[in-house]
Each structure stands twice: as structure tokens, then as C-alpha cells.
Amino acid sequence: MSVLQNFIVFEGGDGSGTSTQLELLKRRFGKEDALSPPVIFTFEPTDGAVGRLLRAALRGEPRLHGETMTRLFSADRAEHLYGEGGIVEAAERGSLVICDRYTLSSRVYQGLECGDGLPAALNGGFPAPELLLFFDIDPRLALLRLETRTQKDVYESLDFQLRVRERYLGLLDSCRAEGSRVVVIDASAPIDAVAEAVWQNISLLPVMPRQRGSCIASSMKKAIN
Ligand code: TYD
């Protein structure tokens, strides 16, 4: 597995705050004033055709077998990486690409559902991110945060999330071995403190100018057709 420079991934259990922090980071980039590279914020499952099917399945309709889910997550990811205007193309031309969830989510969640073999085989050839931020939080607290949501995903039970956290923590060293820089962020800290920790790590990236600066935040095309 090769490392894709300029590619950053946020990972964490459900309710760990990755999506909120991605939004805050987007705003932070919008406020900084010197020049910095174009920044693309994106997420998995994507909002393309396969990603939409996955989101429906995550809500339980249609009900899909764990193996099918594993294959769909990797198909969604392949298009996200290599499709037109995809992650690889953008990062290689010098954009900073920041993605909410990636291969480690498959190794953790689908690994729990259908064993390590298939997620490892289907995701092993994808590039590793330059930087992986793991948002660590006690699943009890994380699930409390999600309580106000009306729609629950199939993975949002305490039992499952306790195992999710354990697996994440157990797999971080293998991400390091693949060449990613891995940082564990205390996601139970106040939201602003978490945002600051995220910014500290992002602003240290080689692609960032020495003087912090603004960037053009653009949305990534994720349509899969
Ligand atoms: P999440 O980012 O929590 O979406 P939202 O905040 O919109 O609900 O991701 C949705 C779920 O998808 C989450 O429970 C983890 C799961 N997931 C996998 O099981 N495997 C994967 O490969 C990915 C990318 C996500």
C-alpha cells in the first residue's frame, strides 16, 4: 500500500464528532487569510449512487448481508478515489483532500460483521492517507450525543460501539506500519479544544504554507455514474 500525500482522513466511532469537526475545519480554512492550497472536504459513504445505497442499508432498508456491505463500501471507495475528479487526482495535483471515514472504517465495522479477511483483501490495495486523525471517545458519551437523532443507523448500539472502539485502537499501529502518521484526538474534550487540536495537526502538513492562510474550499464531485 502506498501513501497518498495531501490526503487526510478523520476516523472514529459513531457520535465521535468527525462530521462536526470537518465542518469547523472548513470554516477555519475560510477565515485564514494568507494563501494555502485548495482544500476539498469529502466523506464516505459518498453521495454517489453506491454511497446512497449504503446509507439506505445503514438505516436497515434494504437489509444487506455484511459481505455485500463490505463489497459496496469498497466499490464506493474505488469510485471516490479513482473516478473523475476523484481523491487521487485532486491530491496529486496539490489539493489538500480531507475525508470523513475511509478504509479503516471498513476494517473496523465490516471486520466486526464478517471477519477481517474480506475487508482487508478489498481495501489493501487502496492508498493510505498521509495523516489519520482518530477521534477517541467513550462510546457511552458518543451515543448520548446521538440521542436527539430520530433516525438510528444499524451500528448505533452500545455493545457494537464498544467493540468498534476496541478495534480502532487495536488497528492504529497497522496504519502506522502502512506509512500514515496517526494522531489520537481526545474527542470528549470541549468542541473548540478538539477543533484546535485538529487545526494544529493540519497546519503542520508540508502542503500548508508556513504562514497560515485561507484557501478555496470546494466541494468534491462524488457522483458515481
Ligand atoms: P457516519 O460518518 O457516522 O455518517 P452520519 O454521521 O451521516 O450518520 O457514517 C455512517 C456509518 O457508516 C457509520 O456507522 C460507519 C459506517 N461505515 C462502515 O461501516 N464502513 C465504512 O467503510 C464506512 C466508510 C462507514
Side-chain angles (χ1 to χ4, degrees):
M1 186 187 272
S2 59
V3 175
L4 181 61
Q5 300 303 317
N6 305 334
F7 178 39
I8 316 306
V9 166
F10 287 13
E11 286 280 2
D14 291 76
S16 61
T18 56
S19 312
T20 305
Q21 288 299 329
L22 208 87
E23 273 309 310
L24 292 176
L25 184 59
K26 205 184 274 188
R27 275 190 235 157
R28 175 94 191 226
F29 268 113
K31 272 197 232 148
E32 301 292 332
D33 49 15
L35 281 181
S36 78
V39 185
I40 292 166
F41 294 93
T42 188
F43 50 86
E44 294 187 359
T46 70
D47 56 7
V50 182
R52 289 197 302 274
L53 173 58
L54 278 163
R55 285 194 184 275
L58 286 167
R59 292 191 296 269
E61 185 56 52
R63 237 174 220 293
L64 298 178
H65 189 274
E67 183 160 326
T68 313
M69 295 290 279
T70 308
R71 292 180 188 280
L72 287 174
F73 274 116
S74 79
D76 187 39
R77 185 162 297 131
E79 192 58 30
H80 198 197
L81 284 164
Y82 306 116
E84 201 188 330
I87 291 172
V88 171
E89 191 184 312
E92 283 180 350
R93 71 161 191 256
S95 294
L96 185 58
V97 182
I98 303 175
C99 186
D100 191 357
R101 299 193 178 281
Y102 185 58
T103 50
L104 187 55
S105 281
S106 284
R107 290 170 65 196
V108 168
Y109 287 78
Q110 280 63 60
L112 279 170
E113 272 204 309
C114 62
D116 290 331
L118 191 63
L122 292 177
N123 289 281
F126 293 144
E130 177 181 358
L131 172 66
L132 188 153
L133 299 182
F134 172 59
F135 290 72
D136 188 31
I137 187 169
D138 184 329
R140 292 169 192 86
L141 181 55
L143 290 180
L144 272 182
R145 287 179 174 178
L146 296 180
E147 253 183 2
T148 50
R149 286 196 197 173
T150 47
Q151 195 120 49
K152 275 208 184 319
D153 278 1
V154 291
Y155 299 136
E156 287 175 20
S157 72
L158 181 58
D159 242 28
F160 192 81
Q161 290 297 322
L162 287 167
R163 288 192 291 150
V164 162
R165 182 183 186 211
E166 203 177 287
R167 272 186 74 88
Y168 264 122
L169 292 170
L171 285 169
L172 294 181
D173 273 346
S174 70
C175 297
R176 292 187 178 101
E178 285 162 6
S180 296
R181 193 159 79 82
V182 175
V183 176
V184 179
I185 303 257
D186 176 8
S188 62
I191 192 166
D192 290 350
V194 177
E196 196 49 41
V198 170
W199 180 252
Q200 286 309 317
N201 281 286
I202 298 291
S203 59
L204 288 175
L205 289 167
V207 72
M208 293 292 285
R210 273 198 213 113
Q211 244 191 334
R212 290 175 186 175
S214 70
C215 71
I216 311 146
S218 55
S219 295
M220 171 162 244
K221 182 177 169 285
K222 290 178 295 295
I224 302 173
N225 278 317

